[in-house]
Amino acid sequence: MLTKIRKVKFEQERKNPLYQVVMECPDGKQLYVKFDYTYKTKNFWPLEVNYNKKNYGAKLAWYTNEVENMTVALFLETIAGKINRKYDFNFKKQ
């Protein structure tokens, strides 16, 4: 993963864990992604994306395909994995 995590806000006490992450891109620009994990679908879903202070709604595929050469799901799983390890968080058993 080329993008480096700079700031994290993690809300694990919610129904679905919510992640807010500020990252530094390889080109020096800033990427903000707000996403959650949905227990029902067992997937991570982007909720809000800002790149260099421009709002992209919930669209993240353009970035993950062009810069990271991976899928959105893999990108979010990688970020969440690092955050979950830091906060010693495990998903609830359903």
Side-chain angles (χ1 to χ4, degrees), residues 8-13 17-20 83-84 87 89:
V8 172
K9 183 175 180 187
F10 180 44
E11 298 177 30
Q12 53 187 307
E13 61 282 340
L18 181 70
Y19 303 81
Q20 295 180 60
I83 295 168
N84 291 346
Y87 288 94
F89 176 74

Side-chain angles (χ1 to χ4, degrees), residues 61-72:
W62 61 272
Y63 180 81
T64 59
N65 289 336
E66 291 175 21
V67 179
E68 298 288 345
N69 295 317
M70 58 175 65
T71 64
V72 173

Side-chain angles (χ1 to χ4, degrees), residues 13-85:
E13 61 282 340
R14 300 169 55 101
K15 179 182 172 192
N16 292 322
L18 181 70
Y19 303 81
Q20 295 180 60
V21 185
V22 175
M23 295 169 275
E24 184 181 319
C25 303
D27 58 6
K29 295 182 179 172
Q30 185 173 307
L31 176 69
Y32 165 81
V33 181
K34 179 179 180 180
F35 65 99
D36 71 351
Y37 178 80
T38 306
Y39 285 104
K40 188 171 186 165
T41 62
K42 296 185 171 111
N43 283 319
F44 293 96
W45 298 99
L47 303 172
E48 184 180 336
V49 177
N50 284 295
Y51 179 70
N52 206 28
K53 299 185 180 172
K54 183 178 176 201
N55 190 329
Y56 284 83
K59 295 180 177 95
L60 184 60
W62 61 272
Y63 180 81
T64 59
N65 289 336
E66 291 175 21
V67 179
E68 298 288 345
N69 295 317
M70 58 175 65
T71 64
V72 173
L74 181 58
F75 182 70
L76 295 178
E77 282 176 30
T78 304
I79 294 167
K82 291 178 181 185
I83 295 168
N84 291 346
R85 273 192 302 279

